[in-house]
Amino acid sequence: MVFGTNRDQLRQVYCEVWRRHREGQPLAALDAQILEVILQHPEYHALLDDPEQALGRDFRPEDGQSNPFLHMGMHLAIREQLATDRPAGIGRRYRELLPDFADPHRLEHAMMECLGQILWEAQRSGRAPDDSRYLRCLDRLPRG
């Protein structure tokens, strides 16, 4: 993993990219990708403005909270999948689905549902994510 496996290290990267952007400092290529996702989520900006809160906070689904870092990380994961066409065929599926969605960001949100399901199943079973199930899930996304 690029940023390490520590939750706080991962979160710190997002906070640091946001701080450097606000201060007008230059960003590396990966930081620019992270910033693009951050900018698409203004609802997370206040959290990123307060690294202490961001690092220490638990986001528990049972409390009705979604994890903004997981959400942004899934955007980045999908974009990496599209850039590398891994799993094979995801790029074609994305291009086929795009006209049915208002914008690429909305399509990524729909794709996240499939990715989240596949990752949850893999974690639960102790196996690697099933690429074919993931692609079949994408094939079943609602069209137009």
Side-chain angles (χ1 to χ4, degrees), residues 59-76:
F59 299 93
R60 298 171 6 146
E62 57 268 19
D63 295 335
Q65 300 177 320
S66 64
N67 184 328
F69 298 99
L70 176 60
H71 181 87
M72 291 186 288
M74 288 186 67
H75 274 292
L76 292 168

Side-chain angles (χ1 to χ4, degrees), residues 70-85:
L70 176 60
H71 181 87
M72 291 186 288
M74 288 186 67
H75 274 292
L76 292 168
I78 288 170
R79 291 173 186 193
E80 178 69 16
Q81 289 174 340
L82 295 172
T84 60
D85 197 37

Side-chain angles (χ1 to χ4, degrees), residues 3 13-14 16-18 20-21 25-40 76 79:
F3 308 120
V13 169
Y14 287 93
E16 183 64 16
V17 165
W18 182 238
R20 290 190 358 245
H21 163 71
Q25 295 181 11
L27 299 173
L30 180 56
D31 294 343
Q33 292 175 31
I34 293 169
L35 177 62
E36 184 179 331
V37 171
I38 291 171
L39 291 173
Q40 291 177 320
L76 292 168
R79 291 173 186 193

